[in-house]
Amino acid sequence: MQLRPYQIEAKRWTYKSLKKHSRTMLQLPTGAGKTITFVDITRDYLKWNKKVMILVHRKELIEQTIDKLFRFNMQCSVIQRDFLYKHYAKVHVASVPTLASRISKGRMLPKDIDLIICDEAHHSTANSYRKIYEYYNTAQLLGVSATPCRTNGEGFEDIFNDLVVGTSVSDLIKIGHLVKPKVIANPLSFDLKTIKLTAGEFNAKELSEAINKNITFGDYVRTWELKAKGLKTVVFANDVEHSQKIVELYNKAGYPAEHIDGTTPKEQRKQTLKNFATGKTTILSNVGIVTEGFDVPEIECVQLTKPTTSLSLYLQMVGRGLRPAQGKEACIILDHADNVFSHGFPEQDRKWTLKGKKIKKNEKPQYKIRDKRTGKIFERNQLPEHLTDFELVEVTANDARIKYLHKLISVSRYKKFKIGWAWHCFLDKYKIPTAEECKSFERIAGYKIGWAKHQQRKFGLIK
């Protein structure tokens, strides 16, 4: 199997990093082929007569990794209940909980591992992972993740020494290896700031109560009928009850839908996923199952009914629908949970880092929304229903300045002061205006064209 050019480039920089730092994290977007890339790295290490251990945290990922290894003509041993462990194997695929447990119990484990590859490495800060890294402290460590960030702001500098950032979602869309997301926002009718945070995420109980109290569940189906009817759809629900109710409504409306969650029996889960993949069911609603390691390129719609503070989870959810398939030009994202307003568009460029960040309550980028057809800008609480064809305008410190200027203008008119009073008060506070503020004041004050340019020259904003 041939790697794509961006995968070859990512691998080249990874080897450079590992040679210098020994503990490296590689970032590649969801859909960029992370598994293929690290399996090819595994093949190289085998050629060099090295031993490799691949860490995964869920059974579905174990099966996916084994499948990819077989496709590269590599055999492996599996460290997981119900699998036969072969101590002499050159490649081991290990369940993180199982391996951490066996380390604690002093069980027989593979020796002389040269490279540990950790899939979904944004989970690496958990104690179970740290136990494994400490046990194999002489091995090189390669973490692989689409989203090297944590909801609680915790960094990775105490685990990894270097970060290799691969290609971006926007670049993958340009070259046809991902499809463009088309976001349709149906804003929440309640304020997420009223929901308490627990371990950095919305408190499950409070969020569930708010959804049940404020959301008309039938809107999920009606929006889908209007914007994505008949498309293979995966739904991300808030909890089991929420998901089951959504499935019930879809089935009642005549659209085949099924539900899975972490408690779904193994054989039933397997059959449900098969039904969805083969087209027997059109809608698959889930709770925490298909966010990682679930590859069905034919998905044409992702319905987000679960609000999250986690950028990582948001991108994982949306990423389920961005893989290309024959005849597929885009993926419709039905956002009923304000996720796009909290985290931005899936394809926008992001700056990844190993450094941590102190997160304050409800500290997220805030956006206004511009309707592309009319140019009108909406506040979050002013949005029309089923808004589509829009762009996000990030709220910055400049927005606070403009609001203050407008407030001064209102005061001057109310008190019948000359309009220039507002401008002088504004300059008393901020000293130097921006070019846009000069233009805005000229327009609002009704000054002749040219006043703004005069002010811009006066403050050295233009020559």
Side-chain angles (χ1 to χ4, degrees):
M1 183 175 288
Q2 292 284 328
L3 292 188
R4 294 167 176 168
Y6 66 83
Q7 294 168 328
I8 295 171
E9 185 73 359
K11 195 173 80 163
R12 185 172 71 84
W13 282 104
T14 297
Y15 286 156
K16 279 188 175 183
S17 177
L18 283 171
K19 186 176 181 180
K20 183 177 180 180
H21 299 283
S22 79
R23 291 193 162 205
T24 295
M25 181 181 278
L26 169 63
Q27 185 275 331
L28 281 172
T30 300
K34 296 186 299 299
T35 307
I36 290 293
T37 303
F38 73 66
V39 165
D40 196 64
I41 289 172
T42 301
R43 182 167 61 177
D44 286 347
Y45 269 70
L46 287 184
K47 289 177 185 175
W48 303 331
N49 200 31
K50 304 285 188 180
K51 292 183 180 179
V52 179
M53 178 179 286
I54 301 171
L55 303 180
V56 296
H57 70 292
R58 282 175 37 191
K59 191 172 186 300
E60 291 82 6
L61 295 175
I62 288 178
E63 293 170 352
Q64 182 188 84
T65 304
I66 293 171
D67 176 66
K68 294 293 193 299
L69 287 167
F70 283 171
R71 287 167 64 181
F72 275 76
N73 298 314
M74 285 182 280
Q75 303 294 317
C76 66
S77 171
V78 180
I79 302 174
Q80 160 79 9
R81 192 178 66 179
D82 300 331
F83 284 91
L84 179 63
Y85 164 61
K86 305 169 187 175
H87 69 277
Y88 53 83
K90 294 286 188 180
V91 180
H92 300 271
V93 179
S95 156
V96 171
T98 300
L99 182 57
S101 174
R102 291 184 184 180
I103 289 172
S104 297
K105 294 175 181 177
R107 300 275 293 276
M108 186 174 74
L109 295 168
K111 304 288 185 183
D112 304 321
I113 297 296
D114 297 289
L115 174 68
I116 290 178
I117 298 175
C118 178
D119 193 13
E120 307 296 352
H122 46 278
H123 298 298
S124 284
T125 57
N127 289 335
S128 53
Y129 288 82
R130 292 180 184 275
K131 183 177 290 186
I132 294 168
Y133 300 155
E134 185 178 344
Y135 186 84
Y136 290 104
N137 57 18
T138 60
Q140 289 182 312
L141 175 61
L142 172 61
V144 186
S145 175
T147 52
C149 59
R150 300 286 293 169
T151 304
N152 61 5
E154 191 175 357
F156 302 93
E157 289 181 296
D158 61 332
I159 300 172
F160 300 100
N161 302 323
D162 192 34
L163 174 65
V164 174
V165 177
T167 188
S168 66
V169 173
S170 58
D171 284 342
L172 289 173
I173 291 172
K174 287 175 187 174
I175 61 178
H177 291 310
L178 291 179
V179 300
K180 187 172 178 60
K182 181 182 179 183
V183 180
I184 297 170
N186 208 13
L188 286 171
S189 56
F190 63 93
D191 190 349
L192 286 169
K193 290 182 180 180
T194 64
I195 308 298
K196 184 172 67 177
L197 298 182
T198 302
E201 183 58 286
F202 294 119
N203 179 272
K205 183 179 178 182
E206 286 193 14
L207 185 57
S208 178
E209 289 173 353
I211 288 173
N212 290 327
K213 180 180 178 181
N214 295 282
I215 300 297
T216 303
F217 282 34
D219 286 346
Y220 299 147
V221 178
R222 282 191 289 274
T223 300
W224 183 85
E225 287 177 323
L226 283 170
K227 303 296 182 180
K229 187 175 182 179
L231 300 184
K232 186 183 284 290
T233 301
V234 61
V235 179
F236 290 94
N238 183 56
D239 54 35
V240 173
E241 184 182 353
H242 187 213
S243 179
Q244 290 173 337
K245 180 66 175 176
I246 291 170
V247 165
E248 180 186 334
L249 289 170
Y250 270 114
N251 283 319
K252 191 174 180 180
Y255 308 112
E258 289 188 272
H259 155 88
I260 55 171
D261 63 71
T263 65
T264 304
K266 176 182 173 181
E267 288 305 314
Q268 182 182 337
R269 182 193 301 189
K270 190 174 180 180
Q271 185 61 50
T272 299
L273 293 174
K274 183 180 178 181
N275 291 344
F276 182 68
T278 59
K280 189 174 181 179
T281 53
T282 304
I283 297 114
L284 176 66
S285 184
N286 84 104
V287 180
I289 294 297
V290 302
T291 51
E292 297 168 334
F294 179 71
D295 299 336
V296 180
E298 293 77 17
I299 293 171
E300 293 179 275
C301 175
V302 175
Q303 191 166 36
L304 305 177
T305 67
K306 172 186 174 60
T308 180
T309 64
S310 170
L311 172 62
S312 176
L313 178 57
Y314 167 63
L315 293 178
Q316 292 282 0
M317 292 189 295
V318 171
R320 297 308 110 199
L322 301 188
R323 286 176 171 82
Q326 188 173 1
K328 178 180 172 182
E329 297 181 357
C331 177
I332 293 175
I333 311 297
L334 301 178
D335 184 9
H336 303 263
D338 282 10
N339 288 314
V340 70
F341 304 136
S342 296
H343 304 295
F345 284 114
E347 72 272 29
Q348 70 185 51
D349 292 335
R350 291 174 168 86
K351 185 177 180 180
W352 301 110
T353 177
L354 296 177
K355 294 181 179 179
K357 179 184 177 183
K358 189 174 181 180
I359 302 293
K360 297 177 182 178
K361 184 176 179 180
N362 292 313
E363 182 187 36
K364 288 289 178 185
Q366 295 298 311
Y367 295 95
K368 292 181 181 179
I369 299 90
R370 179 186 290 119
D371 188 330
K372 286 185 176 181
R373 293 164 299 181
T374 65
K376 185 175 180 180
I377 294 179
F378 297 94
E379 296 285 349
R380 156 65 187 81
N381 58 1
Q382 299 172 330
L383 295 178
E385 195 176 38
H386 306 320
L387 182 66
T388 185
D389 198 22
F390 67 96
E391 59 188 355
L392 299 177
V393 183
E394 187 166 354
V395 177
T396 65
N398 287 336
D399 290 277
R401 290 167 59 113
I402 287 289
K403 282 185 178 180
Y404 181 66
L405 181 56
H406 284 200
K407 182 179 178 180
L408 290 172
I409 292 168
S410 296
V411 170
S412 70
R413 285 173 174 164
Y414 177 75
K415 294 192 174 183
K416 298 182 180 179
F417 294 160
K418 289 183 178 180
I419 195 75
W421 173 87
W423 184 246
H424 289 297
C425 288
F426 181 78
L427 294 179
D428 281 343
K429 181 176 177 68
Y430 290 112
K431 310 306 179 190
I432 298 175
T434 66
E436 188 60 39
E437 287 162 356
C438 293
K439 290 179 185 177
S440 180
F441 191 79
E442 178 188 77
R443 176 175 51 80
I444 296 169
Y447 287 161
K448 290 181 180 179
I449 294 174
W451 181 90
K453 282 195 174 181
H454 172 73
Q455 294 293 314
Q456 290 166 0
R457 289 192 190 95
K458 178 180 175 181
F459 289 99
L461 302 174
I462 60 173
K463 292 182 179 179

